[in-house]
Every structure is written in C-alpha cells, then in structure tokens.
Amino acid sequence: MTYYGAFYQSALHPLLERVNAYLRRWMRKKFKRLRGRKKAQTAWNQAVARRPRFAHWAWTTHAPRVW
C-alpha cells in the first residue's frame, strides 16, 4: 500500500473506500444491533478512532458511500 500509494494515490482511494464498504457490510450483518445506519455509523466512527493506524485507515478514515 505504501509503494502503490506513493505513486498512484488517486487510484488507491477508491479501492480503500471499497474495502471500507465491505468491512461495514460485514459489521452490519454480523452484529444485529448495528443493522440500523445510525448505529452502524456510530460504531464505525468509534472503531476508526480506537484504531487510527489500522492498515488502511491511516490513508482513508471516512465512511464509505456504498453500504
């Protein structure tokens, strides 16, 4: 990610947003209490705040547009 992001950062961000979308979809399916969007958004923000250096969240932390 570091190498590819250094040269093709504009191409890397859509990929990372898609990874975030997959993670979010998994989270909402696994935990019944996160089925609602607002609860899932709150849980997502807390997870990102607790793990700011987690793999790709150092590059993009915002919630994905795709649910």
Side-chain angles (χ1 to χ4, degrees), residues 17-18 20-22 24-25 37 63-67:
E17 286 180 15
R18 192 66 187 155
N20 284 345
Y22 284 127
R24 192 167 207 172
R25 190 176 307 141
R37 284 191 181 208
R65 290 181 295 241
V66 180
W67 286 70

Side-chain angles (χ1 to χ4, degrees), residues 6-66:
F7 297 104
Y8 302 105
Q9 195 169 17
S10 62
L12 187 62
H13 281 286
L15 174 68
L16 296 179
E17 286 180 15
R18 192 66 187 155
V19 170
N20 284 345
Y22 284 127
L23 284 173
R24 192 167 207 172
R25 190 176 307 141
W26 169 82
M27 179 180 70
R28 290 181 73 196
K29 286 182 179 181
K30 182 169 176 69
F31 302 105
K32 279 188 175 183
R33 62 186 168 83
L34 299 177
R35 297 276 163 98
R37 284 191 181 208
K38 288 184 180 181
K39 288 185 180 183
Q41 178 68 39
T42 302
W44 179 264
N45 291 338
Q46 289 174 353
V48 170
R50 276 183 286 185
R51 300 169 194 88
R53 296 186 47 96
F54 176 73
H56 64 281
W57 287 340
W59 291 84
T60 177
T61 59
H62 65 278
R65 290 181 295 241
V66 180

